[in-house]
Amino acid sequence: MVNLEWYRSFIAVYRVGTVSGAAEVLHLTQPAVSQHVAALESTLGTPLFQRMPRRMLPTESGKRLYTRVVTAIETLEAIPTKTASADAPLLIRLGTPMEFFSEYVLSRLPKQNETLFAIQFGLVQDLIEHLLANRIDCAIATQKVPKPELEYQLLFEENFWLVGPPGMTIPLSQDVMQADLMALEQWLRTQFWIAYSEELPIIRRFWRVIFDRRLDVNPQLVIPDLRSIRGAIAQGLGCSVLPDYLCADWIDNQQLTLILKPVKAVTNSIWLAYRKSERQSQQVTLFLDLMGVQR
């Protein structure tokens, strides 16, 4: 007879990729996890992993087994949460990019509410790994990372605008900029640029959509924080491309200058990721309600 713990260890190793990592997630010893996986393989009569020097790679049998059992195991693991005392406060463990949480989510959290929030900041790939390992309940993702056990619900559509320092003199009107892209491009190439990274991921995507070519300028400042980029632009240190939720109020208050809000919008979708087995959980449904998402 197969022990439920064998399946839990198998799923943890499958997700994390190592026995040591799975043991840490499950709060077990490495030998215990290894014994569980070996016992499951012996009972099923097939190897579930290919043992590599630094990673456990699932075999085809392992992949099929994971697809068959993961939802059932996650549903069983969720039962203690769903049957907990009604008096116990609800805890939502949320992973999120720091900028989006500070500028968009924080103002929508309930005031003087008994719901508890544990916030973890990080990049999308790291947050998805934490979600798969059940370290968080849901994650705000700026891109979809395809995983069979996850679902994504659209939270927000961000639009990117080109902005500059307050009081910036723009030699072209908005109408001219939209009509004469060559003149706009030539002028922009003479400006100082502030980027999120040396690869200019946001700026180069914006540039390609607007001008249909690759940008080949070097940024004067590289700051891996969008709010700090906004502050640097406000101090007159250069231009950049920012999402509308970060710069709209600053433009209205004349703390930034709107250089270009393109007619052909440059957009990006922001998603809430959660485990399929938890789509009806209190954590997921309450957070979507707080964000005003219609399901």
Side-chain angles (χ1 to χ4, degrees), residues 173-186:
S173 68
Q174 285 284 329
D175 292 339
V176 171
M177 283 193 289
Q178 300 285 358
D180 190 352
L181 293 179
M182 183 174 294
L184 172 60
E185 182 181 12
Q186 291 175 349

Side-chain angles (χ1 to χ4, degrees), residues 209-256:
V209 171
I210 301 303
F211 301 112
D212 194 26
R213 70 182 75 194
R214 181 179 175 84
L215 176 65
D216 56 1
V217 302
N218 294 318
Q220 275 66 41
L221 274 176
V222 175
I223 309 175
D225 180 85
L226 293 177
R227 292 172 301 163
S228 296
I229 291 176
R230 179 182 61 185
I233 300 170
Q235 293 183 44
L237 299 179
C239 304
S240 195
V241 175
L242 291 176
D244 49 0
Y245 71 85
L246 266 173
C247 62
D249 289 344
W250 285 50
I251 292 170
D252 292 341
N253 295 330
Q254 300 183 349
Q255 296 170 279
L256 298 175

Side-chain angles (χ1 to χ4, degrees), residues 53-279:
R54 297 186 178 180
R55 192 163 184 84
M56 300 274 280
L57 297 180
T59 62
E60 290 303 315
S61 296
K63 293 176 182 178
R64 289 194 296 270
L65 179 64
Y66 181 83
T67 301
R68 292 177 60 188
V69 304
V70 63
T71 300
I73 297 300
E74 287 182 340
T75 301
L76 288 172
E77 289 178 336
I79 290 175
T81 300
K82 295 176 180 177
T83 59
S85 170
D87 296 330
L90 178 68
L91 171 64
I92 299 178
R93 301 173 298 164
L94 174 68
T96 174
M98 186 181 297
E99 300 98 333
F100 188 74
F101 176 80
S102 300
E103 298 290 330
Y104 187 84
V105 176
L106 191 57
S107 63
R108 290 164 171 78
L109 296 184
K111 300 175 177 63
Q112 298 180 346
N113 188 283
E114 292 186 356
T115 302
L116 307 178
F117 289 86
I119 308 301
Q120 181 172 331
F121 297 127
L123 300 177
V124 174
Q125 292 289 348
D126 295 332
L127 294 177
I128 293 302
E129 290 302 319
H130 290 318
L131 181 59
L132 292 172
N134 197 23
R135 299 189 190 103
I136 55 178
D137 301 306
C138 46
I140 294 175
T142 53
Q143 66 186 78
K144 284 185 174 181
V145 179
K147 297 289 182 180
E149 57 268 51
L150 297 184
E151 283 186 351
Y152 291 84
Q153 173 69 53
L154 182 65
L155 279 183
F156 184 78
E157 287 278 355
E158 58 183 354
N159 296 286
F160 290 101
W161 297 348
L162 178 59
V163 295
M168 184 180 196
T169 301
I170 304 174
L172 305 168
S173 68
Q174 285 284 329
D175 292 339
V176 171
M177 283 193 289
Q178 300 285 358
D180 190 352
L181 293 179
M182 183 174 294
L184 172 60
E185 182 181 12
Q186 291 175 349
W187 176 72
L188 288 174
R189 287 181 179 276
T190 67
Q191 304 305 305
F192 291 101
W193 288 92
I194 306 171
Y196 189 85
S197 74
E198 293 182 2
E199 291 76 27
L200 286 77
I202 299 174
I203 297 173
R204 283 200 167 122
R205 182 188 168 205
F206 185 90
W207 200 274
R208 187 174 293 278
V209 171
I210 301 303
F211 301 112
D212 194 26
R213 70 182 75 194
R214 181 179 175 84
L215 176 65
D216 56 1
V217 302
N218 294 318
Q220 275 66 41
L221 274 176
V222 175
I223 309 175
D225 180 85
L226 293 177
R227 292 172 301 163
S228 296
I229 291 176
R230 179 182 61 185
I233 300 170
Q235 293 183 44
L237 299 179
C239 304
S240 195
V241 175
L242 291 176
D244 49 0
Y245 71 85
L246 266 173
C247 62
D249 289 344
W250 285 50
I251 292 170
D252 292 341
N253 295 330
Q254 300 183 349
Q255 296 170 279
L256 298 175
T257 297
L258 177 62
I259 299 175
L260 182 65
K261 177 182 177 181
V263 172
K264 181 181 179 181
V266 182
T267 65
N268 184 59
S269 298
I270 296 179
W271 309 86
L272 184 71
Y274 48 86
R275 295 178 292 277
K276 287 181 180 178
S277 61
E278 296 295 311
R279 65 167 66 96

